[in-house]
Amino acid sequence: MNPFSNVKVVVCALGGRRGFLELPESLANDEREAVSGGERSLYELATALAVLGVDVELRGHLNPEILATITDAASATPTVGLVPRRPQPGEVVVLPEGLADPDLFLTPHLSGARTVVLLLGPPGLCGWSFQAGWSPPDLTVVDVATVGTPATYRAMANLGFSLWSPAWGIAEAGRRAGVRVSRIGTGTPVPFPDPPAKTADIAVIEANRWFPVAERLSQQLPEASVLRVPSQSAYSLSAALGPARILPWPSRVEGMSRIAREARAVGTVPVALSSNPFASPRDHGPGAVLAPDVQGVLRETRRLLGAPDELAQRAKLAAHGAREQVDWKRYLGRVSAALRQLPVSPTADARAEFGDEVVEEHRRLFEALRQEELEHRGTLDALQKQELEQRRTLDLLQEVAAGRDGAAAENRALAAELAAARSGLDSYRSRRIIRFLDQSRAGALIRASLRTGWRPISRR
């Protein structure tokens, strides 16, 4: 018997058109080339839920090729190709922490759904910190003490959000804040390639936020051969990283590094920073070498290149450990346990009622503005038509002014009328509601609704 036969889960990746308090559409986008490691983790989570027999939707702008790589290997797929809608009472909505705008968090919160925030990185690093005044920090210089703070964990918990994470370090930071974070780890049904022969000393990934630091490190190792990995749309970087012996990985703050794990899987040994408080030694995994600072990464890389026996042993440990880390059956077990342990929200009915009232008020306001836009169009068309007719008449009078008595006086009178018409048009356009309709995002939505016939949904 399927224990999740009555469970509905929505996993939201990035992007996707949506209306007010709606979940985003689910749209395959062949033009999406850059898909982050975090997004691939969301694809894997949605696929794992489908394998477990959960009715699961995957929403956002999706890379169909990468998603198919996962679902084909798992022989299960989440539901995709969906239009925007409001969350339903009782279902579970999974959102990544890396959302820069808080409005999508509001969508499930003002509904009867349960919200899970998947902490792929420390909250407040790439997404909203749940604290007033937050702005996206520069990851290369941000003080690591200002992200993943106890106040952020507590704010999410106090809103009734459940927290999941792949990383031991992120879960431990939650524990220190007095907040439970379910560690679901990571997993993939897609097998890693076998470690290939090594033909380069170090690898440098060009399309990566840590590239400038890694590039400077490589320049300080003139005796080392360098494998440069360019930007590519692929499910995994393992094959591209495989020919290198070492991956200098100067990531100063993140969660559990997917790139470092994909390197380990093919025997490319990461030399990473131990100063990242959100990745524990268990997250770095067997075979990796940790250093306290960037100069330490340089020293350890140089030392390992001069210690081929140790490097070979670490490569074997890394490849074995990476496969254990992503074991698909174990991952399914952890996801299943986390889903079973989700609490029932005592505020679900009240939140759903709040959401219904807000959506209904939004609908009424939208319809009022839509009617205002229709009237605005009629008035504007009439004023513009009047201005055009007066301009044509004035042009005609000016052509014959030299041959007619009194034409100059008529010209002056008509010019005054034209100026008055233009002033009236400018005054009309300057009205606050008209400026709102002409220039605001809401005005754009209203004009779109007139073109397409779309209207916002009302209460359930």
Side-chain angles (χ1 to χ4, degrees):
M1 180 178 177
N2 178 11
F4 302 118
S5 58
N6 295 320
V7 178
K8 177 67 174 286
V9 179
V10 180
V11 178
C12 292
L14 301 184
R17 178 182 59 88
R18 59 191 175 90
F20 181 64
L21 291 185
E22 287 183 334
L23 297 166
E25 66 185 345
S26 173
L27 179 66
N29 188 342
D30 292 313
E31 296 179 356
R32 282 215 62 198
E33 294 184 356
V35 177
S36 69
E39 288 181 86
R40 283 174 275 163
S41 295
L42 290 163
Y43 293 5
E44 289 160 352
L45 174 60
T47 303
L49 291 165
V51 171
L52 291 170
V54 176
D55 179 5
V56 55
E57 297 177 355
L58 178 61
R59 291 178 172 269
H61 276 179
L62 311 173
N63 182 300
E65 183 178 351
I66 291 177
L67 178 59
T69 298
I70 302 168
T71 57
D72 289 350
S75 300
T77 184
T79 302
V80 296
L82 303 162
V83 298
R85 67 169 177 85
R86 286 200 64 203
Q88 297 298 310
E91 68 185 4
V92 178
V93 177
V94 180
L95 300 174
E97 105 293 333
L99 299 173
D101 297 318
D103 58 332
L104 188 52
F105 291 110
L106 192 64
T107 293
H109 190 60
L110 288 182
S111 76
R114 292 177 286 176
T115 303
V116 171
V117 182
L118 183 62
L119 303 177
L120 298 162
L125 183 65
C126 296
W128 186 44
S129 68
F130 288 79
Q131 304 296 309
W134 177 84
S135 61
D138 182 343
L139 276 62
T140 62
V141 298
V142 64
D143 181 354
V144 297
T146 64
V147 300
T149 63
T152 288
Y153 279 94
R154 292 170 190 150
M156 290 187 285
N158 289 338
L159 285 169
F161 295 167
S162 296
L163 307 182
W164 294 357
S165 180
W168 288 100
I170 290 175
E172 176 60 21
R175 188 197 65 77
R176 291 193 298 268
V179 173
R180 174 180 172 79
V181 179
S182 296
R183 192 198 71 85
I184 62 171
T186 188
T188 177
V190 182
F192 287 123
D194 292 333
K198 301 299 179 180
T199 58
D201 290 326
I202 63 174
V204 174
I205 302 172
E206 294 180 342
N208 181 266
R209 65 173 65 102
W210 311 115
F211 168 69
V213 183
E215 175 70 1
R216 288 194 294 272
L217 283 171
S218 71
Q219 292 170 355
Q220 297 178 67
L221 293 166
E223 70 281 6
S225 56
V226 180
L227 171 67
R228 299 188 178 278
V229 179
S231 175
Q232 53 187 279
S233 177
Y235 170 64
S236 170
L237 289 179
S238 286
L241 290 166
R245 296 178 178 86
I246 296 174
L247 174 69
W249 190 240
S251 167
R252 59 191 305 270
V253 56
E254 62 177 338
M256 188 180 190
S257 173
R258 187 184 189 101
I259 290 176
R261 181 171 65 252
E262 291 173 351
R264 288 168 47 230
V266 286
T268 299
V269 175
V271 180
L273 291 172
S274 62
S275 56
N276 175 13
F278 300 103
S280 75
R282 284 184 289 185
D283 293 319
H284 289 290
V289 175
L290 302 181
D293 52 33
V294 173
Q295 285 304 306
V297 171
L298 179 64
R299 287 192 302 271
E300 285 298 311
T301 300
R302 183 177 286 121
R303 184 187 68 78
L304 282 174
L305 289 174
D309 291 344
E310 178 187 347
L311 187 56
Q313 182 61 28
R314 285 188 176 276
K316 291 180 182 178
L317 289 173
H320 178 72
R323 284 163 174 74
E324 281 197 334
Q325 221 167 24
V326 301
D327 182 271
W328 186 238
K329 289 185 179 179
R330 294 177 187 173
Y331 179 65
L332 293 175
R334 293 190 296 267
V335 171
S336 175
L339 189 59
R340 289 197 309 270
Q341 293 166 9
L342 279 181
V344 175
S345 172
T347 63
D349 290 344
R351 289 187 289 106
E353 188 71 16
F354 288 156
D356 286 345
E357 290 298 327
V358 171
V359 167
E360 179 63 19
E361 181 60 28
H362 176 267
R363 186 196 63 79
R364 288 195 292 265
L365 176 61
F366 189 94
E367 290 298 332
L369 289 174
R370 194 173 188 272
Q371 184 60 39
E372 187 78 28
E373 169 70 12
L374 287 170
E375 296 173 2
H376 162 52
R377 284 187 175 192
T379 302
L380 191 60
D381 288 346
L383 289 171
Q384 289 174 332
K385 183 178 180 181
Q386 179 185 0
E387 181 186 18
L388 179 61
E389 290 175 350
Q390 289 173 335
R391 182 182 294 112
R392 288 173 176 170
T393 303
L394 181 60
D395 290 343
L396 179 62
L397 285 173
Q398 287 173 339
E399 290 178 4
V400 300
R404 289 182 53 194
D405 295 336
E410 290 182 28
N411 283 351
R412 288 193 296 274
L414 191 56
E417 291 180 16
L418 181 58
R422 287 173 174 167
S423 176
L425 184 58
D426 291 342
S427 175
Y428 175 74
R429 282 174 166 157
S430 70
R431 289 169 54 195
R432 180 175 298 177
I433 184 62
I434 302 307
R435 291 201 309 273
F436 174 79
L437 289 169
D438 281 344
Q439 301 171 11
S440 71
R441 180 183 176 187
L445 289 174
I446 292 165
R447 289 190 292 277
S449 80
L450 292 171
R451 290 194 305 271
T452 64
W454 172 84
R455 277 181 163 85
I457 57 175
S458 59
R459 69 169 67 239
R460 296 182 185 86

